[in-house]
Amino acid sequence: VQLVESGGGLVQAGGSLRPSCAASGRTFSSLAMGWFRQVLGKEREAVAAISGNTGRTYYADSVRGRFTISRDKGKDTVYLQMNSLRPEDTALYYCAASIRPWLTSREREYDYWGQGTQVTVSS
C-alpha cells in the first residue's frame, strides 16, 4: 500500500485545514486508517482513526470535537478535517493504514505509513 498525504500548511490559531491521504495498492475499503502526529523530540501520537469494516471512529481527547476523520471509498482517500486549530496542534501529521479492518489507535497495529505533511499553527 502506498500512502500520499497532502493538504498541510500554515494557518493562524482558530483556523482550519483538511489534510488528505490517497491510498493505492490494496483494497482500500478493507483497511483501517489512522492519522498520527509527531513533534520533534516527542513520541508519535494517534490523533484519529476509522475502521475499515464498520466506519467506527476514534479521537484523541486533545482533538475530540475539533477534528473529524472521514473516508471516501470511491476515491481511496481519507481526510482529517481540522477546525479551531491551536498552536499545540503544530506537528508533522502522518497517515497510516492497517490490514486489520477493526478500529485501532495502536501505532504498532499499522502496517503502512505516508511520508507526512507539516501542519503549523501560529498564535
Side-chain angles (χ1 to χ4, degrees):
V1 176
Q2 292 78 45
L3 303 173
V4 179
E5 301 105 330
S6 61
L10 172 65
V11 66
Q12 288 188 331
S16 299
L17 285 172
R18 194 179 78 149
S20 61
C21 173
S24 61
R26 192 181 177 109
T27 303
F28 177 73
S29 60
S30 66
L31 301 172
M33 302 295 296
W35 285 96
F36 293 75
R37 67 186 181 186
Q38 187 170 26
V39 176
L40 192 63
K42 295 187 177 181
E43 291 187 357
R44 189 157 52 187
E45 63 173 348
V47 174
I50 186 166
S51 69
N53 47 11
T54 64
R56 286 179 61 208
T57 55
Y58 158 86
Y59 296 98
D61 289 344
S62 58
V63 306
R64 187 174 295 114
R66 299 188 297 122
F67 291 10
T68 303
I69 187 171
S70 62
R71 66 193 301 163
D72 184 334
K73 294 187 176 182
K75 295 182 178 180
D76 291 350
T77 300
V78 64
Y79 304 95
L80 185 66
Q81 179 66 47
M82 308 163 68
N83 297 330
S84 302
L85 282 162
R86 305 167 179 169
E88 54 264 40
D89 295 317
T90 295
L92 186 61
Y93 282 72
Y94 294 92
C95 171
S98 172
I99 60 174
R100 304 158 188 80
W102 54 82
L103 182 66
T104 180
S105 61
R106 296 189 179 97
E107 184 175 339
R108 65 178 182 272
E109 293 189 357
Y110 283 84
D111 307 285
Y112 304 98
W113 294 84
Q115 81 287 353
T117 185
Q118 179 67 37
V119 170
T120 303
V121 184
S122 62
S123 57

